[in-house]
Amino acid sequence: MSNAKVVLDPAFQGAGHKPGTEIWRIEDFKPVPLPKSDYGKFYCGDSYIVLQTSCNKGGAYLFDIHFWIGKDSSQDEAGTAAIKTVELDTMLGGRAVQHREPQGYESDKFLSYFKPCIIPMEGGFASGFKKPEEDKFETRLYICKGKRAIRVKEVPFSRSSLNHDDVFILDTDKKIYQFNGANSNIQERAKALEVIQHLKEKYHDGVCAVAIVDDGKLQAESDSGEFWVLFGGFAPIGKKAVCDDDIVLETTPPKLYSINNGQLKLEDTVLTKSILENTKCFLLDCGAELFVWVGRVTQVEDRKTASASVEKFIIKENRPKTTRITQVIQGYENHTFKSKFESWPVSNMAGNASTDEGRGKVTALLKQKGVDVKGISKSSAPVNDEVPPLLEGGGKLEVWCINGSAKTALPKEELGKFYSGDCYVVLYTYHSGDKKEEFYLTYWIGKHSVREDQDMAFQLASTLWNSLKGRPVLGRVYQGKEPPQFVALFQPMVILKGGISSGYKKFVEEKGLTDETYCVDGVALIRVSGTSVHNNKTLQVDAVPTSLSSTDCFILQSKNLMFAWIGNSSSFEQQQWAIKVAEFLKPGVAVKHCKEGTESSAFWSAIGGKQSYTSKNVAADVAIREPHLYTFSLRNGKLEVTEVYNFSQDDLLTEDTMILDTHSEVFVWMGQCVDTKEKQKAFDIGQKYVEHAVAFEGISPDVPLYKVIEGNEPCFFRTYFSWDNTRSVIHGNSFEKKLSVLFGVRSEGGPKSSGDGGPTQRASALAALSSALNPSSQGKQSDERPTSSGDGGHTQRASAMAALSSALNPSSKSSSTQPQSHSGQGSQRAAAVAALSNVLTAEGSHSPHSRPSPTADAEKTELAPATPQSETEPDAPEYARTEPDVSQEQTANENGGQTTFSYERLISKSTDPVSGIDYKRRETYLSESEFQTVFGMTKEEFYEQPRWKQELQKKKADLF
C-alpha cells in the first residue's frame, strides 16, 4: 500500500461513501464520472466502470465493481477499465467483488441496477465512432430475452429478424408494437411490457399508443394490419436462425486451479473451503463463468498476475471472449461462488477484528494521501432492528395440542402455555383493514417432542390449510426460534418443561427418564427476558441458583409461594412481564417481590441454597444479513439456487416458486399458476433450501419456515417489498397480470391497443369530477390500476386521480401506517377540483428528451392512466410514508416557523436538538438538496424502497 498515492485516480475521490450506483466512462484511457442523467446509457464503442455500494443490516458497506466492455470497445480501453477497477478496489480497502461484464452477456446482478433494462447504443466517445443522431426519431426493432433480468438488443428492422420463438418490440414514431412469437415464453412477454413502458416514458414523453400483436393470429385488427404494413405487408416468417446470442454456455462441474507465479495447477480433490489458502489466488472454472479467488493477505502483484493468467486461460481453452469473470476476496465470497463447494463453514470474516483492523489501516493511510475515506471504516457491529410488522389485533386465536392422532383444543385460560415435550397447531383469524378475512396458521414443535407428534402436527396443519383453500400462511416454528408475529399472539407466552401428550409420556418411560412436566403445586423457576409484545418469551429453567442472571427477572414457584425476583440489570418492562406471568401461571396468588440481594431464606431454600450466578448479559443471536430472493432448481437431487438481485414485487412471477431468505425466516412463495401438487410440496422444497443455507449461509436449521400463496401474503412478508396490494387480486398469467397493472387492459377479450391522449384524458377527468359532485352517479374508473410514470406531468395526473378517487370513495378506510386527516366530503371535492385544474392547465408542457415524442394531437393516444392509489385507499403501497407523524404546524410553532432543518441539527448526537419533531422520521425535515446529499437520492426515490432498506440507510446516516 506504499504506492497508494500513485495508483489512486482522482476521479475516484469520494467513491463508495453512500449506498447507490456510481459510473465512470473510460475516455482517453482515464475514468471520467458519468452524469447521473446518463446512467443506463451504454455505448457499444466504450468501456465503463460501475460501482454499486450497498449496506448490510450490520451497518457495513459492501461493494461490487463491474467493468462493462462494449462490443466495439478497443482492447486498450477494456484493459484500462480492468486496471482502474483494481485501483478503485484498492481505495475501497481491497474488499470489493469485481465483475467483468461483456456486452450482451452481462450478469443478472449488473442488469438489476438498471431496471427494466439497458439498451446499448451504437457509437462511442473514442475517435472513429460517430454518435447517432439523437434529435431525429428513428424506428427501431428490439428483441427481448429474460424472465427477470431482461436483455434487450436492437436488431435490423426487417421481417427476417422476426421469428416464432422470441418477443420483439417495434418502436415507431406514433406507436409501440409488441410482437409475441407463437412459441415465446409467457414471462418474457411480461417483461417486454416493462421495456415498452420504459421506451414510452423515455422517448415519447409518456404519450404514445401501444399495440400487442400475437404471432399466428390473423384476425382483422387495425393494430395487426398496421404492424405488418410496416414490414411491407403480411407474409410468413421463417424459422429462428441460430446465432451467437442463442449459444448458452453450460455450467460444468467446477474445477479448481491454484495460481503460482502465473502458472495454473489443477487441484484434483473434493472442493472444500479448507483448500483455499489466504496467501494464494485460485481459479474456479465453472464453464459458463470463471471465478478468481484472492486470499486476503496476497500481494497486489500476485493479484495482477492472477488476472493475467485467467485471460491466458480463456485463450488457451478456446473459451469465448465474452466469458464472464468474477473476482472475490476472501471473506466476501458471494453465494454463487460458495455454492460450488461441497460445504462452506460459516465464519464472521467480514466483520471480525482482524478485518476491521486492516480496514482501519487502509483508511489511515489513504487519509495521509489526502483521500476522503468517510464511511470506509464504518463498524459492522449489529444494530437493533425496530419492531417488525405484526398481525392485526382483535382476531380469534385457536390452539390445539397434539396427542397421538388427535388434537385437543386448549381452553382460553391456557392459551400461551407450551410444553417442550409437545407439539401444537395455532390458527389466528383476523381482519387487516377493510380486507377479507386473513389467517395465520403455524405448527409449533417442542425441543423434546417425539417424531410421531411432529409428523401429526404437520399433517393436521396441512389438512386445516387445505380446508381453508390454501389462504393461510402456513408456518413451521421450532421452540426457541419463535418469530415476532407468533410471540405477539400470546400475552404472555410461557414455555414449560415436560409434556402432556401420551407420546412424550411413553418416551420418558421407555428411556427411564425423570418426568419434569410443570406442576402448579410444585417447584418451578421461570426466566422472564422479553421486553415487549413481540419478544416476551418466558422459559422454565432448572430450579437452581446458577440459573439466575442479573440481566433478567425470574418467577419462583414453590408450592403455594410465588416470588418475583428482580435482577439488578433487568428492565422495567421485564419486571412488568414477570408480574403478568405470575398471574397467568397461578391466578389470584399473592406475589412476593424480592430485588436481587434482598432474598429471603425461603427463596434460597426452594432452589437448593444460595450460590453464585452470572451477572453478565448473554449476547443475543442477532441476524445481520440482508434478505435474499432466490429461484431454485433440482438437478440430480441437488438443490441449485439462483439469486434475484435488487428484487421487487415484479419478480414474484405467478408461474414460479420463489424462496425469500431473511436469515431469521425462510418463505416459500408459490404463484397462483403453480401446479396444485407442487404447492403441497412447499415444505419439502423449503427444507431442502434450509439444509442448503445451513451449509453455505450459516442460518439456523431451526429457522421458521413458511409457505405463502400468491394473493395471501402476510404483512411480515410484504415488508420486504414495496408492496402494491392491487396486484394480488389480478388473475391470469404473468403477461395478463402485467397488462392489467401497467396498462389497465386485459388480454382476454380486451382491446389490444390502448390510448388516452390529451382530449380523452380531459373527458375522463371531467367524468370523474362529475361523479364526485354527484354522489348518485357511479365512478367508472375505480377499478383501474395505477401506471408508473417518471415525469412531473404524470405525478400531477396521479395526484389528481388520487384526489378524485378519494372523493368518489368517501367511505373508504385507510390501512396506511400513518395517521390520516379526513376533512369531510366537501374538502375532498375541493381537492379534486384543484387537482383537476392542475392537470388541465399543465397538459401539453413536457420536459425535453433525447428522442422527440409525437405531436400531442387528438389522433395520438396514450395508454389509459388508471386510478392511482391515494393515501386513504386500503391498497396503497405499504410504508410509502413521506410525511412525519408530528404536524408541520406543531413543528413550526415550536421552532419559530421553521420546518426544514440541517442534517447536523437533526442527527442524534447533535448538541442543539430540534424540538417538536417526529424523531422516528427525522429525515423528512431535510431540505430536498441536503436529502440528496445525505442519501444520494431524492425523497421520492427513497420512499419507493422497501421499509427495511429505508431503515438501513437511516441508520447509516445516524437518523434512525
Side-chain angles (χ1 to χ4, degrees):
M1 294 297 297
S2 60
N3 60 342
K5 185 174 182 179
V6 177
V7 301
L8 184 61
D9 196 292
F12 297 138
Q13 178 78 20
H17 284 190
K18 297 183 178 70
T21 307
E22 297 170 80
I23 304 178
W24 298 263
R25 180 167 60 188
I26 303 301
E27 299 179 5
D28 294 330
F29 307 108
K30 294 180 181 178
V32 177
L34 203 65
K36 287 192 177 293
S37 59
D38 287 341
Y39 280 20
K41 291 182 181 179
F42 292 89
Y43 285 94
C44 301
D46 290 332
S47 292
Y48 298 80
I49 295 175
V50 177
L51 169 64
Q52 184 70 18
T53 305
S54 57
C55 179
N56 69 13
K57 281 194 173 183
Y61 278 156
L62 304 176
F63 305 105
D64 284 274
I65 307 175
H66 307 254
F67 58 102
W68 186 89
I69 304 172
K71 65 181 179 63
D72 298 323
S73 178
S74 69
Q75 186 65 40
D76 289 341
E77 279 192 341
T80 300
I83 293 171
K84 292 299 180 180
T85 293
V86 175
E87 292 184 22
L88 178 57
D89 181 28
T90 301
M91 195 217 74
L92 297 172
R95 56 198 173 101
V97 178
Q98 299 177 33
H99 311 259
R100 180 178 185 261
E101 306 283 359
Q103 178 182 339
Y105 299 87
E106 298 89 351
S107 65
D108 288 357
K109 189 166 194 174
F110 178 83
L111 294 175
S112 72
Y113 308 146
F114 307 101
K115 289 185 176 182
C117 64
I118 63 171
I119 306 177
M121 297 175 287
E122 295 298 325
F125 170 82
S127 59
F129 288 101
K130 182 181 179 182
K131 290 190 177 181
E133 294 286 341
E134 293 189 348
D135 59 350
K136 180 180 179 182
F137 191 94
E138 181 181 345
T139 297
R140 293 188 173 96
L141 181 64
Y142 303 99
I143 186 171
C144 302
K145 295 184 178 183
K147 292 166 55 176
R148 288 182 178 81
I150 191 164
R151 291 167 174 80
V152 180
K153 178 184 177 182
E154 185 176 354
V155 294
F157 177 26
S158 168
R159 186 198 313 275
S160 61
S161 295
L162 302 174
N163 62 64
H164 301 293
D165 299 319
D166 292 315
V167 179
F168 295 83
I169 293 174
L170 180 62
D171 186 11
T172 73
D173 186 29
K174 297 182 179 181
K175 186 180 287 189
I176 304 176
Y177 300 85
Q178 176 171 325
F179 176 81
N180 296 324
N183 304 324
S184 61
N185 184 283
I186 287 293
Q187 294 171 332
E188 286 186 332
R189 297 182 186 186
K191 296 302 288 187
L193 289 175
E194 294 183 24
V195 178
I196 286 179
Q197 186 72 6
H198 171 70
L199 294 171
K200 175 174 173 278
E201 293 175 357
K202 188 170 184 179
Y203 298 125
H204 299 271
D205 286 335
V207 182
C208 182
V210 172
I212 308 299
V213 178
D214 291 324
D215 179 19
K217 295 183 180 179
L218 302 178
Q219 61 268 38
E221 289 183 356
S222 60
D223 293 333
S224 180
E226 290 174 358
F227 177 80
W228 288 113
V229 164
L230 293 170
F231 287 91
F234 175 78
I237 57 178
K239 291 184 178 180
K240 182 178 182 178
V242 178
C243 63
D244 292 342
D245 291 344
D246 298 314
I247 299 175
V248 178
L249 295 177
E250 292 189 5
T251 299
T252 59
K255 297 179 182 178
L256 185 68
Y257 297 85
S258 59
I259 305 175
N260 294 301
N261 297 322
Q263 301 299 313
L264 273 63
K265 178 185 176 182
L266 179 64
E267 300 289 337
D268 190 13
T269 182
V270 176
L271 295 187
T272 62
K273 182 182 179 183
S274 60
I275 299 175
L276 304 173
E277 301 177 32
N278 61 8
T279 59
K280 293 183 179 180
C281 297
F282 290 82
L283 168 65
L284 184 67
D285 178 12
C286 303
E289 186 171 11
L290 303 178
F291 292 90
V292 179
W293 184 89
V294 177
R296 69 177 184 273
V297 295
T298 53
Q299 300 298 315
V300 174
E301 289 303 319
D302 291 338
R303 301 182 186 189
K304 290 181 179 179
T305 302
S307 298
S309 301
V310 174
E311 295 290 347
K312 293 178 181 178
F313 177 83
I314 291 177
I315 297 173
K316 180 181 177 182
E317 296 293 321
N318 199 27
R319 300 288 175 84
K321 63 180 182 179
T322 53
T323 302
R324 286 205 306 271
I325 302 173
T326 302
Q327 178 174 302
V328 296
I329 187 73
Q330 182 181 4
Y332 296 91
E333 299 88 352
N334 58 23
H335 179 89
T336 305
F337 178 85
K338 291 187 291 187
S339 65
K340 304 299 181 182
F341 291 73
E342 289 296 316
S343 66
W344 193 273
V346 176
S347 63
N348 194 27
M349 179 66 68
N352 65 15
S354 63
T355 303
D356 287 339
E357 180 184 358
R359 193 180 312 151
K361 290 179 179 179
V362 171
T363 301
L365 182 58
L366 292 179
K367 279 186 176 180
Q368 291 177 7
K369 304 297 181 181
V371 179
D372 182 9
V373 286
K374 178 183 177 183
I376 287 182
S377 59
K378 284 279 187 180
S379 170
S380 58
V383 291
N384 293 325
D385 288 333
E386 66 170 14
V387 178
L390 304 176
L391 303 177
E392 295 283 342
K396 179 183 179 183
L397 179 62
E398 300 171 271
V399 181
W400 296 270
C401 182
I402 304 302
N403 192 353
S405 59
K407 65 180 191 294
T408 304
L410 297 186
K412 185 176 181 180
E413 60 273 12
E414 294 291 309
L415 296 180
K417 287 183 183 178
F418 292 83
Y419 288 88
S420 63
D422 292 334
C423 295
Y424 299 81
V425 174
V426 177
L427 175 64
Y428 182 63
T429 306
Y430 64 101
H431 289 270
S432 180
D434 291 337
K435 298 178 184 177
K436 62 186 178 183
E437 197 172 45
E438 296 190 54
F439 305 93
Y440 175 74
L441 174 63
T442 56
Y443 65 101
W444 183 90
I445 300 174
K447 280 187 176 179
H448 303 118
S449 61
V450 297
R451 183 71 190 199
E452 292 77 11
D453 284 351
Q454 295 176 17
D455 292 342
M456 184 54 60
F458 171 68
Q459 292 179 28
L460 292 175
S462 298
T463 300
L464 188 53
W465 184 83
N466 287 323
S467 69
L468 293 170
K469 300 181 179 180
R471 288 172 57 194
V473 54
L474 176 58
R476 182 190 70 188
V477 174
Y478 285 102
Q479 177 184 336
K481 291 293 182 180
E482 295 85 359
Q485 58 276 0
F486 182 90
V487 177
L489 297 177
F490 306 97
Q491 301 301 311
M493 176 182 175
V494 183
I495 301 176
L496 302 169
K497 288 191 172 188
I500 57 179
S501 77
S502 56
Y504 173 77
K505 298 291 186 184
K506 181 179 179 182
F507 172 79
V508 169
E509 183 179 351
E510 289 178 348
K511 297 295 183 180
L513 302 174
T514 301
D515 189 348
E516 297 182 295
T517 301
Y518 170 80
C519 175
V520 294
D521 296 322
V523 176
L525 185 64
I526 316 292
R527 184 180 68 214
V528 181
S529 55
T531 58
S532 60
V533 295
H534 70 283
N535 67 5
N536 66 348
K537 287 180 290 185
T538 304
L539 178 68
Q540 182 180 356
V541 295
D542 293 338
V544 293
T546 53
S547 295
L548 299 174
S549 170
S550 299
T551 59
D552 295 324
C553 293
F554 290 80
I555 296 298
L556 175 60
Q557 173 187 301
S558 179
K559 299 181 180 179
N560 294 326
L561 297 176
M562 189 74 83
F563 298 90
W565 186 86
I566 310 300
N568 287 334
S569 300
S570 64
S571 67
F572 177 70
E573 290 80 7
Q574 287 173 308
Q575 298 167 27
Q576 289 181 310
W577 279 117
I579 302 305
K580 194 168 186 176
V581 169
E583 177 65 22
F584 176 60
L585 293 174
K586 297 192 74 171
V589 69
V591 180
K592 296 183 178 181
H593 293 70
C594 59
K595 190 170 178 59
E596 180 180 0
T598 65
E599 303 88 351
S600 64
S601 58
F603 176 89
W604 290 119
S605 176
I607 57 175
K610 187 175 183 180
Q611 296 181 31
S612 61
Y613 50 85
T614 183
S615 59
K616 295 181 179 179
N617 193 7
V618 179
D621 181 18
V622 180
I624 62 170
R625 210 191 76 202
E626 64 275 12
H628 295 269
L629 184 69
Y630 299 103
T631 61
F632 73 94
S633 61
L634 287 171
R635 294 185 181 179
N636 300 323
K638 183 179 180 181
L639 181 72
E640 294 187 4
V641 297
T642 303
E643 183 163 3
V644 180
Y645 298 100
N646 294 315
F647 61 84
S648 67
Q649 188 179 356
D650 281 337
D651 292 308
L652 301 175
L653 301 179
T654 190
E655 297 85 7
D656 282 353
T657 298
M658 310 290 294
I659 293 173
L660 176 65
D661 176 6
T662 72
H663 199 74
S664 57
E665 293 171 308
V666 171
F667 300 86
V668 180
W669 180 93
M670 309 190 102
Q672 289 289 359
C673 293
V674 172
D675 184 74
T676 302
K677 292 181 180 179
E678 289 297 315
K679 291 178 182 177
Q680 301 295 336
K681 299 178 182 178
F683 274 88
D684 293 334
I685 295 168
Q687 182 57 36
K688 282 186 177 294
Y689 173 77
V690 169
E691 293 168 359
H692 171 89
V694 166
F696 295 100
E697 298 298 336
I699 70 170
S700 167
D702 295 338
V703 64
L705 177 63
Y706 288 103
K707 171 167 69 173
V708 178
I709 302 300
E710 180 185 12
N712 298 295
E713 296 88 350
C715 60
F716 53 91
F717 176 89
R718 299 193 301 261
T719 189
Y720 295 100
F721 303 81
S722 292
W723 198 263
D724 180 359
N725 285 322
T726 61
R727 302 189 182 196
S728 301
V729 298
I730 301 173
H731 300 289
N733 60 38
S734 296
F735 179 61
E736 293 164 346
K737 285 175 177 286
K738 189 66 68 175
L739 278 175
S740 298
V741 171
L742 295 183
F743 301 107
V745 298
R746 294 188 183 276
S747 61
E748 301 174 322
K752 285 299 181 78
S753 72
S754 85
D756 195 2
T760 309
Q761 189 189 32
R762 292 191 185 97
S764 300
L766 288 170
L769 182 62
S770 175
S771 298
L773 298 177
N774 297 280
S776 61
S777 64
Q778 295 292 325
K780 295 183 179 181
Q781 298 191 21
S782 59
D783 292 331
E784 293 180 353
R785 302 299 173 211
T787 60
S788 61
S789 57
D791 58 25
H794 279 237
T795 304
Q796 284 184 321
R797 292 171 187 161
S799 300
M801 297 307 291
L804 288 172
S805 176
S806 298
L808 288 168
N809 300 282
S811 61
S812 65
K813 296 180 180 179
S814 170
S815 65
S816 173
T817 55
Q818 71 173 357
Q820 303 293 332
S821 61
H822 301 278
S823 305
Q825 191 170 346
S827 60
Q828 282 185 323
R829 291 175 180 169
V833 173
L836 182 66
S837 175
N838 288 335
V839 173
L840 299 181
T841 56
E843 272 190 354
S845 60
H846 301 287
S847 59
H849 290 259
S850 59
R851 287 167 63 177
S853 70
T855 305
D857 55 34
E859 295 179 359
K860 298 278 192 289
T861 56
E862 176 193 8
L863 292 175
T867 308
Q869 298 299 320
S870 70
E871 287 188 348
T872 58
E873 288 183 293
D875 288 335
E878 299 189 21
Y879 310 119
R881 308 193 311 168
T882 59
E883 295 297 330
D885 295 334
V886 179
S887 70
Q888 296 286 355
E889 290 79 9
Q890 177 182 340
T891 306
N893 290 339
E894 297 194 22
N895 294 278
Q898 187 177 359
T899 57
T900 302
F901 303 94
S902 69
Y903 172 69
E904 293 302 326
R905 286 203 62 195
L906 289 170
I907 57 176
S908 58
K909 299 181 180 63
S910 174
T911 57
D912 182 22
V914 182
S915 60
I917 69 169
D918 181 359
Y919 269 84
K920 294 181 180 179
R921 309 287 297 167
R922 281 180 291 166
E923 78 283 357
T924 60
Y925 299 94
L926 291 169
S927 66
E928 291 289 346
S929 60
E930 191 159 23
F931 192 99
Q932 179 84 40
T933 301
V934 172
F935 291 100
M937 64 185 73
T938 65
K939 288 186 178 181
E940 289 73 16
E941 292 169 336
F942 179 84
Y943 288 109
E944 285 174 359
Q945 301 178 113
R947 187 175 67 174
W948 67 271
K949 282 191 176 181
Q950 296 177 24
E951 301 302 346
L952 284 181
Q953 292 163 16
K954 286 165 60 177
K955 290 170 185 174
K956 201 70 179 178
D958 291 332
L959 286 170
F960 180 68

